[in-house]
Amino acid sequence: ELPASVYIAHIFPCLDRKSQDALAEASRDVFLARSRLASSMTWPSGCIKIGRPVMSLTFSKDNQSLIVPSGRKQVHVFDKVQGEMPKLAGHTRPVVAAKYSPDGTMLATAGRSDGIIRLWHSVGGSHTRFRVLQVHHSNLRHICWSPNNDKIASWGGNGILCISNVSNGQMFSTHWKTRLEVSGCNETVAFSPNGQQVAFAQNSEVVRLWNLHNGAVRTLRDSGDHTRSYLGDYITSLTYCPNEHYLVVGCHVATIKFWRLTPVSSDEDNDDYTFSYYYEFEKVVHLGTGWSAVTLIQFTPDSRYIACTNYGSQIRLVHVETGTVVSSLCSHTGRIEALCFTHDGKTLASGSCDRSVHLWNMSAHGI
């Protein structure tokens, strides 16, 4: 648990150090009691109404805060104990994406039409402005953090993938990425678990592996024909497994493809060391009839299950090792645009075009 003085310094930065220490001492028990209460609670299942379609959402590392872009210039903040909190303000255009850094110390929020990413320091549910990144001219759609919290990838409808340094706000690198004419919910860029490369979809049927150290780009090969540079299916989502075992790709034909990752030793004399992993195609999971493109994929923190959705309003929970669908979640009335697990894996949040966020207790679904 963080000292109460840290919370006070972020909530009341205008106070001098002596006043902050005095207030921290007087309120120490309140802060500790609230922290213990929140950590012992699970987010209640139910529905949160939002005024606009929900395109993104993210949980804080301590599972106490849920961030939901409003689709306007502000960002909704929900606390597990206190409910809705004051909104975050500062953007001049509608906010469409939000992501906490892996270590939970920063929050990134992105505006669509101005191409601006705002960074916020996050401590104990309080958020203070830190830095502004100018990454796209317009139509920014998605952002994701590197595992070591030092870079942010962003991409949008202009067909450019940008990597920005968090420490100085400067552009680290860019890569042209063919525009995907698919639903705005698709997330087709991901950092590898070691942060050394970025996987991204290109030309609809190709997955590229981009090394950030030397700029080298490699094509991911499919199982049937190792000389083929395309996967044969329209790519609609991709992500890495938290435990570094898999890269998974969602396709337009109701399938999820798995590539097993094997770390490459530095003393091995081959080109694959440039990319840190061997990628070996392992399996295809079919989600059954009545299911269209797999537009979103989210792993549970323990990497045992994935939650996925399509262009509709249903979520399916899949066991990673067996590939079996263990549960289906249905309550939205519009297309689902965002999925996120709490860091303890006990709750799944889903955001939809029906202007709502649904919270699902995973223990009720056998997870």
Side-chain angles (χ1 to χ4, degrees):
E1 294 169 335
L2 290 174
S5 58
V6 176
Y7 290 94
I8 294 297
H10 279 75
I11 297 174
F12 303 103
C14 58
L15 296 179
D16 58 43
R17 181 61 181 271
K18 184 177 181 180
S19 299
Q20 289 177 351
D21 291 343
L23 183 57
E25 182 66 27
S27 59
R28 187 187 314 276
D29 291 341
V30 174
F31 278 103
L32 294 181
R34 178 186 178 277
S35 178
R36 292 192 181 101
L37 175 62
S39 62
S40 65
M41 293 174 58
T42 300
W43 281 84
S45 299
C47 175
I48 302 174
K49 293 295 185 182
I50 307 294
R52 293 287 183 92
V54 179
M55 307 300 293
S56 176
L57 43 79
T58 182
F59 283 105
S60 59
K61 189 174 178 63
D62 61 8
N63 303 315
Q64 294 186 24
S65 299
L66 171 64
I67 305 297
V68 183
S70 65
R72 296 184 175 91
K73 300 176 184 179
Q74 297 176 320
V75 180
H76 292 286
V77 180
F78 297 94
D79 182 89
K80 183 164 57 174
V81 176
Q82 301 181 62
E84 186 165 11
M85 305 295 288
K87 297 181 180 67
L88 301 182
H91 282 277
T92 60
R93 296 291 187 271
V95 184
V96 294
K99 293 288 183 182
Y100 274 107
S101 61
D103 65 2
T105 61
M106 284 183 285
L107 171 70
T109 56
R112 177 184 288 253
S113 58
D114 59 1
I116 287 178
I117 297 175
R118 287 192 177 273
L119 301 180
W120 312 74
H121 279 303
S122 175
V123 178
S126 174
H127 301 85
T128 55
R129 297 184 191 179
F130 168 52
R131 177 163 288 140
V132 174
L133 308 178
Q134 179 71 57
V135 292
H136 289 281
H137 293 297
S138 64
N139 204 18
L140 193 156
R141 294 184 181 179
H142 295 287
I143 56 176
C144 66
W145 286 85
S146 63
N148 49 5
N149 312 287
D150 64 340
K151 297 180 182 66
I152 293 180
S154 57
W155 64 103
N158 60 0
I160 303 177
L161 169 61
C162 297
I163 310 294
S164 303
N165 278 321
V166 172
S167 59
N168 57 21
Q170 300 299 310
M171 194 73 68
F172 176 79
S173 188
T174 60
H175 196 290
W176 286 95
K177 166 180 172 291
T178 300
R179 188 178 309 176
L180 294 179
E181 298 297 339
V182 293
S183 169
C185 71
N186 296 75
E187 298 188 359
T188 54
V189 176
F191 279 96
S192 63
N194 61 12
Q196 296 181 14
Q197 64 194 45
V198 172
F200 63 94
Q202 189 176 42
N203 296 330
S204 303
E205 295 183 349
V206 177
V207 173
R208 306 290 190 193
L209 304 173
W210 177 21
N211 187 294
L212 298 181
H213 290 288
N214 59 18
V217 177
R218 195 180 76 178
T219 301
L220 188 67
R221 303 294 179 177
D222 204 345
S223 59
D225 182 356
H226 291 283
T227 65
R228 190 174 68 180
S229 63
Y230 63 94
L231 300 190
D233 295 322
Y234 201 89
I235 300 165
T236 48
S237 56
L238 63 81
T239 189
Y240 281 93
C241 182
N243 65 7
E244 299 189 50
H245 287 178
Y246 293 108
L247 168 66
V248 297
V249 176
C251 300
H252 200 273
V253 290
T255 59
I256 303 175
K257 296 188 175 185
F258 288 73
W259 279 261
R260 181 170 287 277
L261 307 183
T262 303
V264 178
S265 173
S266 60
D267 59 3
E268 294 186 46
D269 185 19
N270 57 62
D271 293 338
D272 279 336
Y273 176 62
T274 307
F275 293 90
S276 305
Y277 301 103
Y278 290 114
Y279 288 76
E280 181 181 1
F281 185 86
E282 182 166 300
K283 61 185 176 183
V284 178
V285 172
H286 298 274
L287 296 177
T289 59
W291 191 265
S292 59
V294 182
T295 56
L296 291 171
I297 300 174
Q298 281 288 316
F299 276 92
T300 54
D302 62 9
S303 303
R304 296 177 59 213
Y305 298 90
I306 57 175
C308 55
T309 187
N310 60 3
Y311 290 124
S313 57
Q314 184 184 87
I315 302 167
R316 289 189 179 176
L317 303 176
V318 180
H319 191 271
V320 171
E321 288 302 318
T322 64
T324 57
V325 177
V326 298
S327 185
S328 294
L329 312 179
C330 305
S331 66
H332 283 289
T333 59
R335 187 179 66 230
I336 296 173
E337 302 278 9
L339 293 174
C340 186
F341 281 100
T342 53
H343 289 263
D344 59 11
K346 295 180 179 179
T347 302
L348 172 67
S350 56
S352 169
C353 286
D354 64 10
R355 305 186 179 191
S356 71
V357 173
H358 287 205
L359 300 174
W360 310 84
N361 189 321
M362 290 294 95
S363 63
H365 300 276
I367 295 181

